Amino acid sequence: MVRTERVTFTMDDRRLIDRLIALEMTEKEARALVQIAREQRWSIQKTYFLTEGRILKLDMIMAIILGSFIGFLAVHEVQSALTAIFIFGLLMIMMEIVCRFHKDYLKKITTFLRLKGM
């Protein structure tokens, strides 16, 4: 038998949930986010980053790898047309992967940025 606890929210939590719903989040997601943030004593933005927006970590890693590669090429002054085409191709492939495989990617980024002030 599974025992579920009923969580009570304060008025501040309820206002925060309403603000999260205004950011196009479902009520279930907003309640879970506020509950985790309260239990772990994290900010809402950090909680979102570690739960709903966890795919953003992978994209940061991909951007760092690609930036390192471009920096390596810039330091070694490789200036051929083939290199430029290769870099452009890598950028296009990365954007394609990000946009195609991450559902609601732009929404997750904008929500993450809007949570900063909460």
Side-chain angles (χ1 to χ4, degrees):
M1 179 177 218
V2 177
R3 188 176 148 194
T4 59
E5 292 183 28
R6 185 164 178 94
V7 178
T8 56
F9 293 105
T10 63
M11 279 304 278
D12 291 335
D13 290 343
R14 189 66 221 161
R15 284 189 204 112
L16 184 58
I17 289 171
D18 291 339
R19 289 172 66 190
L20 292 173
I21 291 171
L23 290 177
E24 300 176 5
M25 212 178 269
T26 64
E27 186 170 354
K28 182 179 177 181
E29 289 174 342
R31 285 178 179 266
L33 199 64
V34 169
Q35 182 179 355
I36 292 170
R38 188 171 40 164
E39 288 173 359
Q40 299 294 329
R41 296 183 189 265
W42 291 338
S43 69
I44 290 294
Q45 190 179 26
K46 181 177 180 180
T47 306
Y48 183 79
F49 183 72
L50 294 175
T51 56
E52 299 292 323
R54 62 187 171 266
I55 196 69
L56 299 175
K57 287 185 205 175
L58 174 65
D59 297 325
M60 283 187 222
I61 292 169
M62 287 182 359
I64 289 170
I65 290 171
L66 189 61
S68 300
F69 179 72
I70 292 171
F72 171 77
L73 292 177
V75 166
H76 291 289
E77 298 178 9
V78 178
Q79 296 178 351
S80 68
L82 185 60
T83 305
I85 291 171
F86 182 69
I87 291 171
F88 183 72
L90 283 176
L91 286 170
M92 295 311 290
I93 289 170
M94 188 175 110
M95 288 306 297
E96 182 68 23
I97 288 171
V98 166
C99 294
R100 184 172 298 250
F101 295 118
H102 300 138
K103 191 173 186 180
D104 296 331
Y105 183 75
L106 187 60
K107 180 182 168 189
K108 288 184 188 246
I109 288 177
T110 55
T111 301
F112 177 72
L113 293 175
R114 288 180 186 171
L115 288 175
K116 187 169 182 104
M118 290 187 182

